[in-house]
Amino acid sequence: MSGIQGSVGQNGDNVEADVRTVQGLLNRQDLSPLAKIAEDGRIGPRTIEAIRHFQTRYLNINSPDGRVDPDGRTFRKLAAGPSTERGTGESTETRAADRGARADRVDPRVKETPLTTRIIDALIPKLGNTRAKIIGGFLSDSDQFWKVNYHWEYLLEMVDHSMTLPIDDATRSDLQTIKSSLIGTKPDPSSGYTTSPVGRPEDRSDPEDVERRYKVLVAQKDAFGKLTDRAGLKQKSRKSPTTFDLAAAPVAPPGKSKHGTGYALDIEGDNPAIKTLCSSVGATLAFDEKSHVHVEFKNGVSGG
């Protein structure tokens, strides 16, 4: 495989021929759970995400820059051909057994980097009989934009559900105001985020539109949470109270979530027990978001 003349990726030169070369090299690698990328010579969020994923998985870079430089470390590793994960020291049989043991503790949609995997593998044996399931892990920049859409659609669904409950006219009017605000910033496509794997469907909105949607979402989540308490929506619904909690739960600004670092997890179950346990094994943050606990292990899991 020939080399590249200029840098490719985040803030790179991104000459078409060089981009196409890097895309081809990336597609020779196992970058699961990411899908293959188009070898079209055009730089975009999917190609940059693939570069970062490769740097984290195969070069053990905790803060990947998403760029491939001519004769740089990332390019040399890519050009060497398909890579295997470094430093695991595990056989195929061991990894298969670990995946089996994880089935009850980790949602299959959770994305992982090598760092996330190490944290999860160290944490699972310590959970014991605690009711806990990991529902969130690594989120790339594009995944974090997707998460905004997930919460946008989820809140809209809960608003529609609430309007079917026995409520007074004032509450119905307030719910309609929330709905109208959300509809005014709808993604493209406008549905499918709550029923699909992380990252699907892919929003065609401009990044500026997603940022505006995020600001509207934050305001309307707050409004819905207050209205839920004031109108007693939980008590009037047959849905679990946690569905209302999730609709009002805070969402980190896209691009700034600690999920992008690989050391943050979302865990649902017995929230008080989860907080206590994770804090006792080295969590640098354990924040109860009602629908789940957001946990950060910046320094890893103690004893793991």
Side-chain angles (χ1 to χ4, degrees):
M1 178 67 68
S2 60
I4 55 176
Q5 301 302 308
S7 56
V8 172
Q10 187 72 44
N11 299 320
D13 300 316
N14 295 320
V15 174
E16 181 178 343
D18 290 340
V19 174
R20 198 183 303 275
T21 295
V22 170
Q23 289 171 331
L25 291 171
L26 287 167
N27 280 338
R28 294 169 61 191
Q29 303 289 333
D30 176 11
L31 297 181
S32 58
L34 302 185
K36 297 290 186 182
I37 54 178
E39 297 180 29
D40 56 8
R42 294 182 293 179
I43 201 65
R46 294 295 178 189
T47 299
I48 293 173
E49 178 183 7
I51 294 170
R52 287 177 171 161
H53 194 64
F54 175 83
Q55 290 174 321
T56 300
R57 173 176 288 183
Y58 296 117
L59 294 174
N60 293 326
I61 298 174
N62 289 331
S63 298
D65 60 10
R67 193 175 73 185
V68 182
D69 293 313
D71 200 34
R73 182 184 174 195
T74 302
F75 182 77
R76 291 197 301 272
K77 185 70 172 175
L78 276 170
S83 306
T84 56
E85 292 192 41
R86 301 172 56 187
T88 63
E90 297 174 340
S91 66
T92 301
E93 292 77 11
T94 299
R95 288 194 295 272
D98 288 343
R99 286 195 294 271
R102 284 159 133 255
D104 293 335
R105 291 295 193 179
V106 185
D107 188 291
R109 294 172 295 181
V110 172
K111 287 187 175 183
E112 302 178 31
T113 64
L115 173 60
T116 312
T117 298
R118 289 195 295 272
I119 290 173
I120 291 175
D121 287 346
L123 179 62
I124 287 177
K126 300 179 183 298
L127 293 176
N129 295 323
T130 302
R131 183 167 59 86
K133 186 161 189 174
I134 298 167
I135 59 172
F138 170 74
L139 294 175
S140 66
D141 289 349
S142 59
D143 289 338
Q144 291 175 44
F145 281 108
W146 173 89
K147 189 175 182 181
V148 171
N149 295 342
Y150 172 91
H151 280 268
W152 178 92
E153 184 178 12
Y154 189 90
L155 176 56
L156 186 61
E157 291 173 351
M158 289 304 295
V159 168
D160 284 339
H161 167 71
S162 298
M163 293 179 74
T164 68
L165 302 176
I167 54 177
D168 57 33
D169 290 342
T171 300
R172 190 175 302 279
S173 176
D174 289 341
L175 287 168
Q176 185 59 55
T177 297
I178 294 173
K179 181 174 182 177
S180 297
S181 296
L182 292 172
I183 293 296
T185 59
K186 63 183 179 181
D188 179 20
S190 61
S191 63
Y193 305 97
T194 60
T195 57
S196 303
V198 175
R200 296 290 183 272
E202 186 174 353
D203 187 8
R204 294 185 288 267
S205 303
D206 292 332
E208 294 79 10
D209 291 332
V210 182
E211 292 286 357
R212 283 192 291 271
R213 186 177 309 126
Y214 170 75
K215 293 177 181 179
V216 169
L217 176 65
V218 169
Q220 299 313 313
K221 273 178 166 285
D222 181 67
F224 183 75
K226 292 176 179 176
L227 184 60
T228 295
D229 292 339
R230 186 169 70 248
L233 298 181
K234 291 181 183 179
Q235 292 74 26
K236 295 174 180 177
S237 173
R238 292 185 178 181
K239 286 183 175 289
S240 167
T242 59
T243 61
F244 287 88
D245 293 337
L246 179 58
V251 181
K256 298 181 181 179
S257 169
K258 293 301 182 183
H259 284 285
T261 65
Y263 61 70
L265 303 174
D266 287 335
I267 310 175
E268 69 174 7
D270 185 343
N271 286 15
I274 292 169
K275 282 185 63 178
T276 299
L277 185 146
C278 289
S279 297
S280 71
V281 296
T284 49
L285 175 68
F287 180 70
D288 190 341
E289 296 188 2
K290 293 188 177 181
S291 61
H292 63 272
V293 180
H294 175 83
V295 185
E296 297 177 9
F297 288 96
K298 189 174 183 179
N299 303 316
V301 177
S302 299

Short mmCIF file of all heavy atoms in Angstrom, two decimals, residues 213-259:
data_model
loop_
_atom_site.label_atom_id
_atom_site.label_comp_id
_atom_site.label_asym_id
_atom_site.label_seq_id
_atom_site.Cartn_x
_atom_site.Cartn_y
_atom_site.Cartn_z
N ARG A 213 -31.07 22.03 18.89
CA ARG A 213 -31.99 21.02 19.42
C ARG A 213 -31.62 20.67 20.87
O ARG A 213 -32.50 20.50 21.71
CB ARG A 213 -31.94 19.76 18.54
CG ARG A 213 -32.97 18.70 18.92
CD ARG A 213 -32.90 17.53 17.94
NE ARG A 213 -32.96 17.99 16.58
CZ ARG A 213 -32.07 17.70 15.64
NH1 ARG A 213 -31.07 16.88 15.91
NH2 ARG A 213 -32.19 18.17 14.42
N TYR A 214 -30.33 20.59 21.13
CA TYR A 214 -29.88 20.26 22.49
C TYR A 214 -30.35 21.32 23.48
O TYR A 214 -30.85 21.00 24.57
CB TYR A 214 -28.36 20.15 22.54
CG TYR A 214 -27.82 20.05 23.94
CD1 TYR A 214 -27.94 18.87 24.67
CD2 TYR A 214 -27.24 21.15 24.57
CE1 TYR A 214 -27.48 18.78 25.97
CE2 TYR A 214 -26.77 21.07 25.87
CZ TYR A 214 -26.90 19.88 26.57
OH TYR A 214 -26.46 19.81 27.87
N LYS A 215 -30.22 22.58 23.13
CA LYS A 215 -30.62 23.66 24.04
C LYS A 215 -32.12 23.63 24.30
O LYS A 215 -32.58 23.83 25.44
CB LYS A 215 -30.19 25.01 23.46
CG LYS A 215 -28.69 25.20 23.42
CD LYS A 215 -28.30 26.52 22.78
CE LYS A 215 -26.78 26.68 22.72
NZ LYS A 215 -26.39 27.96 22.07
N VAL A 216 -32.90 23.39 23.24
CA VAL A 216 -34.35 23.27 23.41
C VAL A 216 -34.68 22.06 24.28
O VAL A 216 -35.55 22.13 25.17
CB VAL A 216 -35.05 23.17 22.04
CG1 VAL A 216 -36.52 22.79 22.20
CG2 VAL A 216 -34.92 24.48 21.28
N LEU A 217 -33.99 20.95 24.03
CA LEU A 217 -34.24 19.73 24.79
C LEU A 217 -34.00 19.94 26.28
O LEU A 217 -34.82 19.51 27.11
CB LEU A 217 -33.33 18.61 24.27
CG LEU A 217 -33.38 17.27 25.02
CD1 LEU A 217 -34.76 16.63 24.86
CD2 LEU A 217 -32.30 16.33 24.50
N VAL A 218 -32.90 20.59 26.64
CA VAL A 218 -32.59 20.85 28.05
C VAL A 218 -33.72 21.63 28.71
O VAL A 218 -34.18 21.30 29.81
CB VAL A 218 -31.26 21.60 28.18
CG1 VAL A 218 -31.06 22.10 29.61
CG2 VAL A 218 -30.09 20.71 27.79
N ALA A 219 -34.20 22.68 28.03
CA ALA A 219 -35.26 23.51 28.59
C ALA A 219 -36.57 22.73 28.73
O ALA A 219 -37.27 22.84 29.75
CB ALA A 219 -35.47 24.74 27.71
N GLN A 220 -36.90 21.92 27.73
CA GLN A 220 -38.17 21.20 27.77
C GLN A 220 -38.14 20.00 28.72
O GLN A 220 -39.17 19.61 29.27
CB GLN A 220 -38.57 20.77 26.36
CG GLN A 220 -38.76 21.93 25.40
CD GLN A 220 -39.60 23.06 25.98
OE1 GLN A 220 -40.67 22.82 26.57
NE2 GLN A 220 -39.13 24.29 25.85
N LYS A 221 -36.96 19.40 28.92
CA LYS A 221 -36.84 18.36 29.94
C LYS A 221 -37.13 18.96 31.31
O LYS A 221 -37.83 18.35 32.14
CB LYS A 221 -35.43 17.76 29.92
CG LYS A 221 -35.23 16.61 28.95
CD LYS A 221 -33.80 16.13 28.97
CE LYS A 221 -33.64 14.79 28.29
NZ LYS A 221 -34.14 13.66 29.08
N ASP A 222 -36.58 20.12 31.57
CA ASP A 222 -36.81 20.78 32.85
C ASP A 222 -38.30 21.11 33.02
O ASP A 222 -38.87 20.88 34.09
CB ASP A 222 -35.97 22.06 32.93
CG ASP A 222 -36.15 22.79 34.25
OD1 ASP A 222 -35.74 22.24 35.28
OD2 ASP A 222 -36.70 23.90 34.23
N ALA A 223 -38.92 21.60 31.96
CA ALA A 223 -40.34 21.94 32.02
C ALA A 223 -41.19 20.70 32.25
O ALA A 223 -42.15 20.71 33.04
CB ALA A 223 -40.76 22.64 30.73
N PHE A 224 -40.85 19.60 31.59
CA PHE A 224 -41.61 18.38 31.74
C PHE A 224 -41.45 17.80 33.14
O PHE A 224 -42.42 17.31 33.73
CB PHE A 224 -41.17 17.34 30.70
CG PHE A 224 -41.97 16.06 30.75
CD1 PHE A 224 -43.26 16.01 30.25
CD2 PHE A 224 -41.42 14.91 31.30
CE1 PHE A 224 -44.00 14.83 30.29
CE2 PHE A 224 -42.15 13.73 31.35
CZ PHE A 224 -43.44 13.69 30.84
N GLY A 225 -40.25 17.86 33.70
CA GLY A 225 -40.02 17.36 35.05
C GLY A 225 -40.86 18.10 36.07
O GLY A 225 -41.46 17.49 36.97
N LYS A 226 -40.89 19.41 35.96
CA LYS A 226 -41.69 20.22 36.89
C LYS A 226 -43.18 19.95 36.71
O LYS A 226 -43.93 19.86 37.69
CB LYS A 226 -41.38 21.70 36.67
CG LYS A 226 -39.97 22.09 37.09
CD LYS A 226 -39.68 23.55 36.77
CE LYS A 226 -38.27 23.93 37.23
NZ LYS A 226 -37.92 25.33 36.85
N LEU A 227 -43.60 19.81 35.44
CA LEU A 227 -45.01 19.54 35.17
C LEU A 227 -45.41 18.15 35.68
O LEU A 227 -46.52 17.96 36.19
CB LEU A 227 -45.28 19.65 33.67
CG LEU A 227 -46.73 19.50 33.22
CD1 LEU A 227 -47.61 20.56 33.87
CD2 LEU A 227 -46.82 19.59 31.71
N THR A 228 -44.52 17.19 35.56
CA THR A 228 -44.78 15.84 36.06
C THR A 228 -45.10 15.85 37.54
O THR A 228 -46.05 15.22 38.00
CB THR A 228 -43.57 14.93 35.80
OG1 THR A 228 -43.38 14.78 34.39
CG2 THR A 228 -43.78 13.55 36.42
N ASP A 229 -44.30 16.61 38.30
CA ASP A 229 -44.53 16.70 39.75
C ASP A 229 -45.80 17.49 40.05
O ASP A 229 -46.61 17.09 40.90
CB ASP A 229 -43.32 17.37 40.41
CG ASP A 229 -42.07 16.50 40.35
OD1 ASP A 229 -42.21 15.28 40.18
OD2 ASP A 229 -40.96 17.06 40.45
N ARG A 230 -45.97 18.61 39.36
CA ARG A 230 -47.11 19.48 39.66
C ARG A 230 -48.45 18.83 39.32
O ARG A 230 -49.43 18.97 40.07
CB ARG A 230 -46.95 20.79 38.87
CG ARG A 230 -48.01 21.84 39.21
CD ARG A 230 -47.68 23.19 38.62
NE ARG A 230 -47.81 23.21 37.16
CZ ARG A 230 -46.80 23.33 36.32
NH1 ARG A 230 -45.55 23.42 36.80
NH2 ARG A 230 -47.01 23.36 35.03
N ALA A 231 -48.49 18.08 38.22
CA ALA A 231 -49.75 17.48 37.77
C ALA A 231 -49.90 16.03 38.21
O ALA A 231 -50.93 15.40 37.90
CB ALA A 231 -49.84 17.59 36.25
N GLY A 232 -48.91 15.49 38.92
CA GLY A 232 -49.00 14.11 39.39
C GLY A 232 -49.09 13.10 38.25
O GLY A 232 -49.84 12.11 38.33
N LEU A 233 -48.31 13.32 37.19
CA LEU A 233 -48.41 12.45 36.01
C LEU A 233 -48.00 11.01 36.31
O LEU A 233 -48.58 10.07 35.77
CB LEU A 233 -47.55 13.03 34.87
CG LEU A 233 -47.95 14.41 34.35
CD1 LEU A 233 -47.03 14.83 33.21
CD2 LEU A 233 -49.41 14.43 33.90
N LYS A 234 -47.01 10.82 37.17
CA LYS A 234 -46.57 9.46 37.51
C LYS A 234 -47.71 8.67 38.14
O LYS A 234 -47.89 7.48 37.84
CB LYS A 234 -45.39 9.50 38.47
CG LYS A 234 -44.08 10.01 37.90
CD LYS A 234 -42.99 9.97 38.96
CE LYS A 234 -41.69 10.53 38.46
NZ LYS A 234 -40.62 10.52 39.49
N GLN A 235 -48.44 9.32 39.01
CA GLN A 235 -49.52 8.64 39.73
C GLN A 235 -50.69 8.32 38.80
O GLN A 235 -51.44 7.37 39.04
CB GLN A 235 -50.01 9.52 40.89
CG GLN A 235 -49.01 9.69 42.02
CD GLN A 235 -47.86 10.63 41.68
OE1 GLN A 235 -48.02 11.51 40.84
NE2 GLN A 235 -46.72 10.44 42.34
N LYS A 236 -50.85 9.08 37.74
CA LYS A 236 -51.97 8.88 36.83
C LYS A 236 -51.66 7.89 35.71
O LYS A 236 -52.56 7.46 34.99
CB LYS A 236 -52.37 10.22 36.21
CG LYS A 236 -52.91 11.21 37.23
CD LYS A 236 -53.17 12.58 36.60
CE LYS A 236 -53.71 13.55 37.66
NZ LYS A 236 -53.91 14.90 37.11
N SER A 237 -50.40 7.53 35.60
CA SER A 237 -49.97 6.65 34.50
C SER A 237 -49.70 5.24 35.00
O SER A 237 -49.34 5.02 36.16
CB SER A 237 -48.69 7.20 33.87
OG SER A 237 -48.16 6.30 32.92
N ARG A 238 -49.87 4.27 34.11
CA ARG A 238 -49.53 2.89 34.42
C ARG A 238 -48.07 2.57 34.09
O ARG A 238 -47.58 1.49 34.38
CB ARG A 238 -50.46 1.94 33.65
CG ARG A 238 -51.92 1.99 34.12
CD ARG A 238 -52.74 0.94 33.40
NE ARG A 238 -54.13 0.93 33.87
CZ ARG A 238 -55.06 0.10 33.43
NH1 ARG A 238 -54.75 -0.80 32.48
NH2 ARG A 238 -56.29 0.15 33.90
N LYS A 239 -47.40 3.52 33.46
CA LYS A 239 -45.99 3.33 33.16
C LYS A 239 -45.17 3.41 34.44
O LYS A 239 -45.58 4.03 35.43
CB LYS A 239 -45.51 4.39 32.16
CG LYS A 239 -45.97 4.19 30.73
CD LYS A 239 -45.37 5.26 29.83
CE LYS A 239 -45.72 5.04 28.37
NZ LYS A 239 -44.99 3.88 27.81
N SER A 240 -43.99 2.81 34.41
CA SER A 240 -43.09 2.89 35.55
C SER A 240 -42.67 4.34 35.80
O SER A 240 -42.47 5.10 34.83
CB SER A 240 -41.83 2.05 35.27
OG SER A 240 -40.82 2.34 36.21
N PRO A 241 -42.54 4.75 37.06
CA PRO A 241 -42.08 6.11 37.36
C PRO A 241 -40.74 6.44 36.71
O PRO A 241 -40.46 7.60 36.39
CB PRO A 241 -41.97 6.11 38.89
CG PRO A 241 -42.95 5.09 39.33
CD PRO A 241 -42.89 4.02 38.30
N THR A 242 -39.89 5.41 36.50
CA THR A 242 -38.58 5.68 35.91
C THR A 242 -38.69 6.16 34.46
O THR A 242 -37.76 6.80 33.95
CB THR A 242 -37.69 4.42 35.95
OG1 THR A 242 -38.33 3.35 35.24
CG2 THR A 242 -37.41 4.00 37.38
N THR A 243 -39.80 5.84 33.78
CA THR A 243 -39.95 6.34 32.41
C THR A 243 -40.10 7.86 32.40
O THR A 243 -39.60 8.54 31.50
CB THR A 243 -41.17 5.70 31.72
OG1 THR A 243 -42.37 6.02 32.44
CG2 THR A 243 -41.02 4.20 31.64
N PHE A 244 -40.75 8.38 33.43
CA PHE A 244 -40.87 9.83 33.55
C PHE A 244 -39.53 10.43 34.00
O PHE A 244 -39.16 11.53 33.57
CB PHE A 244 -41.97 10.20 34.56
CG PHE A 244 -43.36 9.96 34.04
CD1 PHE A 244 -43.98 8.72 34.19
CD2 PHE A 244 -44.06 10.97 33.39
CE1 PHE A 244 -45.25 8.50 33.70
CE2 PHE A 244 -45.34 10.76 32.91
CZ PHE A 244 -45.94 9.51 33.06
N ASP A 245 -38.82 9.71 34.85
CA ASP A 245 -37.50 10.19 35.30
C ASP A 245 -36.55 10.31 34.12
O ASP A 245 -35.79 11.28 34.01
CB ASP A 245 -36.91 9.24 36.35
CG ASP A 245 -37.69 9.25 37.65
OD1 ASP A 245 -38.38 10.25 37.92
OD2 ASP A 245 -37.61 8.26 38.40
N LEU A 246 -36.56 9.30 33.24
CA LEU A 246 -35.66 9.34 32.08
C LEU A 246 -36.02 10.50 31.15
O LEU A 246 -35.13 11.15 30.59
CB LEU A 246 -35.72 8.02 31.32
CG LEU A 246 -34.84 7.93 30.06
CD1 LEU A 246 -33.38 8.16 30.42
CD2 LEU A 246 -35.02 6.58 29.38
N ALA A 247 -37.31 10.74 30.99
CA ALA A 247 -37.73 11.84 30.11
C ALA A 247 -37.21 13.19 30.61
O ALA A 247 -36.90 14.08 29.81
CB ALA A 247 -39.25 11.87 30.00
N ALA A 248 -37.09 13.33 31.92
CA ALA A 248 -36.64 14.60 32.50
C ALA A 248 -35.15 14.59 32.86
O ALA A 248 -34.61 15.61 33.28
CB ALA A 248 -37.46 14.91 33.76
N ALA A 249 -34.47 13.44 32.68
CA ALA A 249 -33.08 13.31 33.10
C ALA A 249 -32.17 14.24 32.29
O ALA A 249 -32.39 14.46 31.10
CB ALA A 249 -32.61 11.86 32.93
N PRO A 250 -31.12 14.78 32.92
CA PRO A 250 -30.19 15.67 32.20
C PRO A 250 -29.40 14.92 31.14
O PRO A 250 -29.19 13.72 31.23
CB PRO A 250 -29.27 16.19 33.32
CG PRO A 250 -29.34 15.13 34.38
CD PRO A 250 -30.74 14.60 34.34
N VAL A 251 -28.96 15.64 30.13
CA VAL A 251 -28.13 15.10 29.05
C VAL A 251 -26.91 15.99 28.92
O VAL A 251 -27.03 17.22 28.85
CB VAL A 251 -28.90 15.06 27.71
CG1 VAL A 251 -28.02 14.48 26.61
CG2 VAL A 251 -30.17 14.26 27.84
N ALA A 252 -25.72 15.39 28.88
CA ALA A 252 -24.50 16.16 28.75
C ALA A 252 -24.42 16.81 27.37
O ALA A 252 -24.91 16.25 26.39
CB ALA A 252 -23.28 15.27 28.98
N PRO A 253 -23.81 17.99 27.28
CA PRO A 253 -23.66 18.63 25.97
C PRO A 253 -22.90 17.72 25.01
O PRO A 253 -21.89 17.12 25.39
CB PRO A 253 -22.85 19.89 26.28
CG PRO A 253 -23.05 20.13 27.74
CD PRO A 253 -23.21 18.78 28.36
N PRO A 254 -23.36 17.58 23.77
CA PRO A 254 -22.66 16.70 22.82
C PRO A 254 -21.23 17.19 22.60
O PRO A 254 -20.98 18.38 22.48
CB PRO A 254 -23.50 16.82 21.54
CG PRO A 254 -24.28 18.09 21.69
CD PRO A 254 -24.52 18.24 23.16
N GLY A 255 -20.30 16.25 22.57
CA GLY A 255 -18.89 16.58 22.39
C GLY A 255 -18.17 16.82 23.70
O GLY A 255 -16.95 16.91 23.74
N LYS A 256 -18.92 16.90 24.82
CA LYS A 256 -18.31 17.18 26.11
C LYS A 256 -18.59 16.09 27.14
O LYS A 256 -18.14 16.17 28.28
CB LYS A 256 -18.79 18.53 26.64
CG LYS A 256 -18.40 19.71 25.75
CD LYS A 256 -18.87 21.03 26.33
CE LYS A 256 -18.48 22.19 25.42
NZ LYS A 256 -18.95 23.49 25.95
N SER A 257 -19.37 15.08 26.74
CA SER A 257 -19.70 14.01 27.66
C SER A 257 -18.47 13.17 27.99
O SER A 257 -17.64 12.89 27.13
CB SER A 257 -20.78 13.10 27.05
OG SER A 257 -20.92 11.92 27.80
N LYS A 258 -18.34 12.76 29.25
CA LYS A 258 -17.23 11.89 29.65
C LYS A 258 -17.34 10.51 29.02
O LYS A 258 -16.39 9.75 29.04
CB LYS A 258 -17.20 11.77 31.18
CG LYS A 258 -16.87 13.07 31.89
CD LYS A 258 -15.50 13.62 31.49
CE LYS A 258 -15.18 14.89 32.24
NZ LYS A 258 -13.89 15.48 31.80
N HIS A 259 -18.51 10.20 28.43
CA HIS A 259 -18.64 8.93 27.72
C HIS A 259 -17.67 8.87 26.54
O HIS A 259 -17.29 7.80 26.09
CB HIS A 259 -20.07 8.72 27.24
CG HIS A 259 -21.02 8.33 28.34
ND1 HIS A 259 -21.04 7.07 28.88
CD2 HIS A 259 -21.98 9.04 28.99
CE1 HIS A 259 -21.97 7.01 29.82
NE2 HIS A 259 -22.55 8.19 29.91
#
